[in-house]
Structure formats: C-alpha cells, structure tokens
Amino acid sequence: MNPLFSIITVTYNAENTLPATVDSVRQQTFTDYEHLVIDGKSKDRTVEIATDAHPRIKVTSEPDSGLYDAMNKGLDRACGKYLIFLNAGDSFHSPDTLAKIADAIIANNYPGIVYGQTDIVDSQRRKIADRHLTAPQSLDYKSFADGMVVCHQAFVTLARIAPQFNLKYRFSADYEWCIRCLQHSRKNVYVGDTIIDYLFEGLTTANRRKSLTERFRIMARYYGVLPTVWNHLRFLPRFVARTNQEKKLS
C-alpha cells in the first residue's frame, strides 16, 4: 500500500545542512510516509549522512542537470498520495506537523493542496523572522499573482495533479509549478499553523535579477502583462522591505 506522503529532499554537498532535515522527518509522530533523498553526486558526506540517518530513507545519488531536474527525478520515484519538497536545511516545524497535515487531508476528503505558514530560522533552528509573505487563509490559482504567497516547502500537493517542473525556467520553476498545481486543484485547505522552518543562509544577490525577470515572465504568461506590471508597482515597497530585512539578518 502506498504511503500518504512522499517527502522529497534534493541535495548536493549538503553535509552541513542535511542533518537537521532528516532529524525533523525521523521525529515525526505520523509515520505513513516515505523519504526520498535525491542527490546530485555529492563530493562530501551527504550520501553517507542520508544513508545512516534512518533505514527508511531511500537515497539516489547520480549527476543531474540542476535543482529542478532533481526534483523531477523525485516526482518520478515518489509513491505517496501527497508530495512534500523539503530542502536540505529546512525542517518540519514540530514532531506533530505531519499529523496535523494528515488530519487536514482526511477531514477535508483529500483536497488537492494543503498548506501552512513558514518561519525563518538560523543554523541553530532558532526563529529569526517571519517569512516575507504570509500564507493567506484562502488560496486559489489567482493568489499567486501576488507572488509566491506560500513557501514551496509548505505547499503539500496531491501527487496525481502534480506536473513535472518546467526546466526552461532555471530560477523560478517552483513558482510556475505551484501555479499549475493550483489550476488543477479542486480544493485548497489551510492548516492554521506554522508547518515549515526555512533555513536562512544569508543575503544572496547571485542571479537575483535573472530570477526576478523570470518570475515576471511567468506572471505575465498566467495573469496578463498589464496586471503584472501593475502588481510590480505595488510590489516595490514590499521588495525594499524584504531586502532591508535580509540585510539585517545577514
């Protein structure tokens, strides 16, 4: 019988960040899951750490063409009814997180998407900030016109409606993937709690401009050019606030 959840962790040279992730999975009180570690042929101890962490972890280590190619490999291997992408360094917020998500799934007759809030934490797993966008209590396809209002890790998706990631997008394929999942979801359920701790790794400016340009193209494709231009004018104060927050945290 297939598990309720497939937890997919993509890694590459993640020996310093992976332990917190596998520990948070191992500590879950709800155990109807599989945990897939999709590694890009790491040169450090990543594979050893994953293999030794828990006998239930299924590890694949082979060269890939980047993050989203590895995520597609995870999709191909996943057997669970629902998908959770939990990056190395990120973790479930508490030991009962999966139980809360499972309760929401069962109580709502297996919806397309279940989602929740995300906290920003440091390497010691201490909360240092709220995520720059708060997940709304009501979510639909149009919600993502305001940006990635739900963190990808906190976006739990019914496997049968989940497409492959579009590899033509190098930086924002997760954003575009979430939009397509929402297009095919009949019901989206909010878990009124923080479910993911997201590791803050410092202010990253590399590829920031390319990422923003790519996301603009995605928004224009799905929501129209003029509405996207208008929304970006509204985003300016938010962008400045986020940049200032990242500088303070770094």
Side-chain angles (χ1 to χ4, degrees):
M1 185 174 179
N2 291 341
L4 184 60
F5 297 110
S6 288
I7 302 164
I8 301 169
T9 300
V10 170
T11 60
Y12 182 70
N13 291 343
E15 64 179 8
N16 294 324
T17 54
L18 183 60
T21 304
V22 294
D23 284 349
S24 82
V25 176
R26 186 175 59 239
Q27 292 166 8
Q28 292 302 300
T29 59
F30 185 88
T31 59
D32 188 15
Y33 67 82
E34 63 174 359
H35 190 186
L36 310 179
V37 173
I38 311 297
D39 181 70
K41 204 65 176 177
S42 289
K43 298 177 175 62
D44 62 3
R45 294 181 60 252
T46 298
V47 172
E48 179 184 344
I49 290 169
T51 303
D52 293 345
H54 197 286
R56 292 177 58 184
I57 294 180
K58 303 173 185 176
V59 183
T60 301
S61 184
E62 60 188 25
D64 56 50
S65 300
L67 174 64
Y68 299 119
D69 180 44
M71 286 182 173
N72 280 341
K73 290 181 180 183
L75 285 173
D76 289 340
R77 291 167 171 78
C79 296
K81 293 183 178 67
Y82 284 83
L83 306 169
I84 301 175
F85 286 93
L86 193 65
N87 292 342
D90 303 331
S91 60
F92 291 119
H93 183 68
S94 63
D96 64 349
T97 293
L98 272 186
K100 290 178 180 178
I101 298 170
D103 287 345
I105 288 171
I106 295 168
N108 290 277
N109 193 26
Y110 292 81
I113 292 163
V114 177
Y115 66 100
Q117 302 294 348
T118 302
D119 282 349
I120 309 299
V121 301
D122 62 17
S123 60
Q124 304 302 311
R125 319 313 298 177
R126 298 171 299 200
K127 179 179 177 179
I128 55 176
D130 294 325
R131 186 171 180 264
H132 70 288
L133 292 178
T134 300
Q137 293 189 22
S138 178
L139 183 74
D140 61 21
Y141 155 70
K142 294 181 181 179
S143 301
F144 269 55
D146 286 331
M148 199 154 189
V149 294
V150 180
C151 179
H152 186 213
Q153 290 86 322
F155 191 91
V156 182
T157 308
L158 187 64
R160 64 179 176 82
I161 69 168
Q164 293 272 296
F165 290 86
N166 189 335
L167 299 186
K168 80 175 183 180
Y169 298 117
R170 294 184 56 203
F171 308 104
S172 299
D174 52 347
Y175 171 70
E176 196 262 353
W177 181 85
C178 288
I179 293 174
R180 285 188 286 144
C181 288
L182 285 165
Q183 285 181 319
H184 294 95
S185 176
R186 62 177 175 79
K187 185 177 183 180
N188 308 312
V189 175
Y190 173 61
V191 177
D193 200 356
T194 298
I195 61 176
I196 295 296
D197 289 341
Y198 178 92
L199 178 64
F200 179 77
E201 298 182 279
L203 180 61
T204 302
T205 57
N207 297 317
R208 174 68 68 87
R209 188 171 182 176
K210 292 179 181 177
S211 177
L212 291 174
T213 300
E214 189 173 88
R215 188 164 296 192
F216 181 92
R217 286 170 43 218
I218 294 168
M219 287 182 176
R221 174 185 174 186
Y222 285 96
Y223 303 113
V225 174
L226 291 180
T228 297
V229 170
W230 170 246
N231 277 343
H232 274 69
L233 293 175
R234 296 192 300 107
F235 293 164
L236 283 175
R238 187 176 81 186
F239 176 78
V240 172
R242 180 185 182 185
T243 302
N244 289 338
Q245 180 192 51
E246 290 176 340
K247 287 179 179 178
K248 289 178 182 178
L249 294 175
S250 296

